[in-house]
Amino acid sequence: MSLVYEGKAKRLFTTEDPNELLMEFKDDATAFNGAKKESFAQKGALNKRLSLHLYELLERDSVATHFVRDDTENTLIVKRVEIIPIEVVIRNVVAGSLVKRTGLAEGHKLRQPIIECYYKSDELGDPMINDEHIRELALARGDEMEKIKRAALKINRTLTNFFAKAGLTLVDFKLEFGRLYPNRHNIVLADEISPDTCRLWDTETGKKLDKDRFRQDLGDLVEGYSEVLTRVENALAS
Ligand code: UDP
């Protein structure tokens, strides 16, 4: 088993199958492009379980993902993909950088979901880009971007409805997509979906249960993630 990639919150290793990788969820949390960093016992295992439930939910709704099967406490087996270097953010409620960009108040409900694209480049600080920048940089073809945006909106519908059952508001979230090996024709959802990459608020009280607890020092991160997991598992069981 050799390390293929190490990110801020995940590691990917080779397996015996050349088209599959082992994805390990780390306990590390980072914010502000890595400037703030801390490790939290159990975060990796919580995110693994949450991601697993969400992949299964999406697959049942016919969304193609890189998920293959469950593995250990903090690992999953995933298909090998060529990651498209675009972070796709979907927003339902105003928060974070959208407050700064629009002047709209945090918590303002958007009339329709907003999709934004960011260029995945640590060197450049992940700048926001549009379809024309994507075309110029040849990050993805036009038909691939159409598929990605359609998939992103479908994922948003599935997750928003599901989290509502769990008493949670899906404020916004970040997705990454990849081209499936070996032929790289099919685009699938890659990377995790977890409270590291979503904003989730308690629908009743507005309490933040996601990584903003760490970014904004709002309280125990693991406590928030555990509450999300408990509610998700209760909603799945009901
Ligand atoms: N996000 C992420 N990784 C990033 C940037 C953003 O997972 O590198 C997620 C973030 O958790 C939030 C959404 O994308 O759910 C929108 O983030 P925003 O643009 O508001 O940026 P931030 O406030 O995190 O700087």
Side-chain angles (χ1 to χ4, degrees):
M1 224 169 58
S2 63
L3 185 69
V4 181
Y5 168 84
E6 173 146 16
K8 296 180 187 103
K10 271 183 314 283
R11 267 193 285 257
L12 289 166
F13 298 91
T14 55
T15 65
E16 298 94 77
D17 185 331
N19 291 320
E20 292 183 358
L21 297 175
L22 183 141
M23 181 160 92
E24 181 200 16
F25 292 74
K26 301 201 292 188
D27 285 341
D28 298 345
T30 62
F32 314 116
N33 227 342
K36 182 170 176 168
K37 193 170 175 193
E38 217 176 302
S39 189
F40 298 91
Q42 285 306 307
K43 183 179 88 80
L46 287 167
N47 275 354
K48 195 293 307 243
R49 262 168 78 181
L50 271 161
S51 275
L52 171 65
H53 292 315
L54 299 178
Y55 285 135
E56 286 176 342
L57 189 81
L58 291 170
E59 291 277 350
R60 273 204 296 280
D61 231 3
S62 309
V63 174
T65 78
H66 69 156
F67 172 67
V68 177
R69 62 179 178 276
D70 194 8
D71 194 46
T72 69
E73 195 191 18
N74 58 356
T75 62
L76 293 176
I77 304 296
V78 297
K79 290 173 197 155
R80 187 159 166 240
V81 300
E82 175 183 66
I83 284 283
I84 295 170
I86 301 171
E87 298 194 339
V88 181
V89 168
I90 299 93
R91 303 175 179 275
N92 299 303
V93 174
V94 174
S97 65
L98 193 60
V99 176
K100 291 189 207 132
R101 197 166 324 106
T102 61
L104 293 169
E106 182 182 69
H108 172 94
K109 195 176 173 327
L110 297 168
R111 280 191 287 257
Q112 282 185 54
I114 291 179
I115 302 183
E116 296 169 353
C117 293
Y118 294 84
Y119 183 17
K120 226 170 113 70
S121 160
D122 282 341
E123 204 184 3
L124 300 175
D126 296 350
M128 187 164 159
I129 51 174
N130 65 24
D131 285 343
E132 283 152 55
H133 302 114
I134 291 170
R135 189 190 59 215
E136 183 60 35
L137 296 170
L139 303 180
R141 297 192 313 265
D143 62 304
E144 290 180 323
M145 285 313 295
E146 273 176 37
K147 282 187 201 156
I148 286 173
K149 287 183 188 170
R150 219 175 308 126
L153 290 175
K154 180 167 183 184
I155 293 165
N156 186 38
R157 283 193 296 274
T158 303
L159 294 183
T160 300
N161 291 338
F162 173 71
F163 280 123
K165 279 193 231 156
L168 297 168
T169 301
L170 180 60
V171 172
D172 55 33
F173 58 106
K174 186 259 307 178
L175 300 174
E176 291 183 27
F177 291 85
R179 303 179 183 100
L180 261 191
Y181 278 100
N183 63 25
R184 286 178 280 172
H185 292 326
N186 292 329
I187 291 191
V188 298
L189 175 67
D191 203 34
E192 72 190 300
I193 307 180
S194 74
D196 272 4
T197 59
C198 298
R199 283 196 172 92
L200 288 164
W201 296 351
D202 182 305
T203 306
E204 289 275 298
T205 64
K207 191 166 111 182
K208 296 176 179 172
L209 298 169
D210 52 70
K211 207 170 90 175
D212 274 349
R213 293 169 81 90
F214 171 64
R215 291 190 193 96
Q216 302 172 9
D217 298 308
L218 295 177
D220 191 285
L221 179 121
V222 168
E223 201 180 284
Y225 285 30
S226 302
E227 182 160 346
V228 172
L229 181 63
T230 305
R231 291 207 201 178
V232 161
E233 291 186 342
N234 288 342
L236 285 170
S238 70

